[in-house]
Amino acid sequence: MGLEIKLTQKLPNYELDVVLRCEPGRLLALVGPSGAGKTTIVRAVAGLAKPDQGFIALGPEVWYDSKASIWLPPQKRGLGYVFQEFTLFPHLTVEKNVAFAAVDKRRVGELLAMFGIGELAARRPQEISGGERQRVALAQALAREPKVLLLDEPFSALDIATRKQLQAELKELKASLNLPIIHVTHDLQEAMLLADDIVAIEAGRLSHSWLDRFLVHAHPAGAAGGRGVSSDKRTFLP
Amino acid sequence: MMDFSPLILSLRLSMVSTVILLVLAAPLTYVLAYGRFRGKILVEALVGLPLVLPPTVLGFYLLLVLGPDGMIGGIWQAISGQPLLFTFIGIVIASMFHSLPYAVQPLRAAFEKIDPRLLETAAVLGCSPMAAFFRVVLPNARGGLVAAAVLAFAHTMGEFGVILMVGGSIPGKTRVASIAIYEYVEALRYHEAWQLSLALVVISYVVLLLVSYLNRGGRYGA
């Protein structure tokens, strides 16, 4: 079941206007400068902010349709959302955070082990490192067995070594998850490493030129050939 | 031997009204802190009104509302067959109205300190607003709950005008410590007034010490 997103939203300096699609088992990276509208897109998908107009659906399940006045609240969408930081419940231990929305409580232990946080089970979020917290947040999101996974700059608050490690872990994990994943990042290298599809957003629009500029910097040889996308990633444009 | 029954009545009144008040004030504050609805500012001002009104004014209106022809008093009488005025339950209800802002303010401060992203996470993880209230907001606002309880309790312990208007001064039923002190003084029984006043001072002081302690070190998440 693919995730289909069409939305327009008036923002202070420009209008966000995008059409995106993400198939199960694929990771779509949204890259672009800060304030380009990336987070606005994932917040709309999560149901945390209602766009002016548009359509969001997961397969036959319509989450938002401005024409038909359909708007499903976030709690009914069945998704996992990992924010940049500080979203674990401070009054709960790591284990209880992961179990917070677990569909199958027996899987909690399994997830703790999978993310290497089993030993932290009894600690509180304030007592563990930033990297550990993001692992817990990922485990928490997956425990609810989401139909879509949204990652909003999940590693950007981490030091570089931890970030690299978590990127590698996510890359491995991704293979086992058969769901659409949208990953917002301003780190193009992270996008190149993890994504199946990369879309650049600049001032609310899909932008080839932004991606080109950066890829020219990153891979000058490849850029000489044409559009500038030098890896096996392809930009996805509908 | 001194008659402690007014003091015991005051303590009982404070405890009962504080507990019920918290149960009602917490969801009300949640709606005020996070809800978006028309006329919110009107509700907010209404909740704060007991802070500025003379107790006699509040007491007068409560006398009408809790009376047999009033909205609350009428319903109560129809259900229980008993009047509300000049009863213990009547002064519990009156005290709750009077102490409402004292409970709402610390609760609101504590609720608003909670990172809104936690509530967004809760929603994404499947919590309805009501589930988020119980599972996320309340556990992270314990400091505010304690502060609200202490303030409402202390305020009710010292209440005079509203209770006198709604409850009168019936020994064992509505004659609370502050009213008993007033009557002792009127009757020139200074010795009893002295004892009861001192007891109230000590209790209030201990309560305020508790607040300071909680504000300094004992807080949790708020």
Side-chain angles (χ1 to χ4, degrees):
Chain A
M1 285 199 301
L3 181 66
E4 216 181 308
I5 307 162
K6 281 182 215 163
L7 43 98
T8 50
Q9 163 90 31
K10 269 226 177 325
L11 296 172
N13 300 321
Y14 53 82
E15 189 179 56
L16 179 68
D17 186 1
V18 290
V19 180
L20 298 165
R21 223 191 133 72
C22 186
E23 296 299 331
R26 292 190 83 82
L27 189 148
L28 168 67
L30 300 183
V31 295
S34 304
K38 308 184 297 287
T39 293
T40 310
I41 297 170
V42 283
R43 286 179 63 82
V45 174
L48 296 173
K50 197 173 181 175
D52 298 335
Q53 275 176 2
F55 180 84
I56 300 169
L58 180 67
E61 218 178 277
V62 179
W63 290 353
Y64 172 53
D65 185 347
S66 53
K67 281 185 195 137
S69 297
I70 295 172
W71 174 255
L72 218 59
Q75 65 267 24
K76 301 236 169 96
R77 297 191 182 196
L79 39 79
Y81 192 153
V82 178
F83 297 78
Q84 192 172 339
E85 53 183 347
F86 303 129
T87 54
L88 294 174
F89 301 114
H91 63 293
L92 298 176
T93 61
V94 163
E95 185 176 12
K96 288 194 170 142
N97 262 286
V98 175
F100 188 86
V103 176
D104 180 355
K105 301 281 180 210
R106 286 168 304 182
R107 268 207 73 204
V108 171
E110 210 177 286
L111 280 163
L112 289 172
M114 193 168 103
F115 284 94
I117 47 176
E119 284 175 11
L120 310 174
R123 303 242 203 119
R124 296 199 187 255
Q126 309 81 294
E127 300 161 356
I128 62 177
S129 73
E132 288 163 346
R133 278 201 287 268
Q134 289 311 80
R135 286 198 182 91
V136 177
L138 264 169
Q140 183 189 55
L142 292 177
R144 96 161 292 209
E145 295 177 15
K147 292 178 281 187
V148 172
L149 188 59
L150 303 173
L151 309 169
D152 190 358
E153 308 244 14
F155 309 140
S156 63
L158 305 177
D159 65 79
I160 184 122
T162 314
R163 195 187 313 161
K164 293 270 175 240
Q165 199 185 339
L166 275 167
Q167 285 167 352
E169 287 175 25
L170 178 61
K171 192 175 161 73
E172 207 171 298
L173 173 74
K174 195 191 82 178
S176 64
L177 298 174
N178 189 31
L179 57 149
I181 306 173
I182 298 184
H183 184 128
V184 170
T185 177
H186 58 254
D187 177 353
L188 196 57
Q189 278 188 336
E190 182 172 293
M192 299 284 282
L193 176 75
L194 295 170
D196 300 294
D197 307 300
I198 301 177
V199 165
I201 313 274
E202 192 175 19
R205 312 268 160 158
L206 303 188
S207 162
H208 269 302
S209 58
W210 190 86
L211 205 55
D212 284 352
R213 273 204 307 282
F214 276 83
L215 288 171
V216 169
H217 270 293
H219 305 271
R227 291 297 304 160
V229 179
S230 59
S231 73
D232 56 337
K233 318 291 181 193
R234 56 189 179 79
T235 52
F236 173 85
L237 287 175
Chain B
M1 179 64 195
M2 186 190 155
D3 177 16
F4 280 107
S5 71
L7 197 61
I8 290 163
L9 185 66
S10 278
L11 287 168
R12 199 155 68 95
L13 171 70
S14 297
M15 267 187 261
V16 173
S17 68
T18 299
V19 169
I20 305 175
L21 180 60
L22 280 192
V23 171
L24 299 177
L28 171 70
T29 310
Y30 182 53
V31 172
L32 288 178
Y34 299 113
R36 269 184 246 152
F37 57 91
R38 265 164 180 265
K40 182 169 153 181
I41 193 168
L42 301 176
V43 179
E44 282 169 341
L46 203 62
V47 168
L49 213 48
L51 281 175
V52 293
L53 280 181
T56 42
V57 172
L58 187 67
F60 174 65
Y61 283 115
L62 283 170
L63 193 64
L64 299 182
V65 174
L66 301 181
D69 300 323
M71 202 170 68
I72 299 176
I75 295 171
W76 179 264
Q77 187 127 19
I79 294 171
S80 71
Q82 306 281 328
L84 262 186
L85 291 179
F86 310 109
T87 66
F88 180 71
I89 297 165
I91 59 171
V92 166
I93 296 174
S95 301
M96 280 162 49
F97 275 104
H98 199 193
S99 296
L100 184 63
Y102 293 86
V104 167
Q105 282 190 346
L107 280 177
R108 183 152 184 177
F111 287 1
E112 284 173 350
K113 248 189 224 170
I114 296 171
D115 192 329
R117 288 173 297 184
L118 285 185
L119 297 177
E120 291 187 340
T121 303
V124 169
L125 289 172
C127 280
S128 65
M130 189 152 59
F133 174 68
F134 286 110
R135 298 187 67 190
V136 179
V137 174
L138 283 187
N140 284 296
R142 282 191 225 173
L145 280 167
V146 173
V150 168
L151 280 177
F153 184 90
H155 184 240
T156 309
M157 280 300 289
E159 209 173 288
F160 177 75
V162 173
I163 295 179
L164 193 62
M165 295 287 279
V166 173
S169 173
I170 302 168
K173 268 186 170 176
T174 63
R175 189 164 174 257
V176 295
S178 56
I179 292 172
I181 291 167
Y182 178 74
E183 289 180 347
Y184 284 141
V185 172
E186 279 215 307
L188 301 177
R189 292 165 66 184
Y190 278 36
H191 183 67
E192 283 95 336
W194 224 110
Q195 285 176 318
L196 211 45
S197 297
L198 187 65
L200 268 190
V201 168
V202 170
I203 290 170
S204 304
Y205 187 63
V206 168
V207 164
L208 289 180
L209 276 183
L210 190 66
V211 175
S212 307
Y213 169 74
L214 289 168
N215 282 341
R216 245 194 16 217
R219 67 177 145 195
Y220 175 89

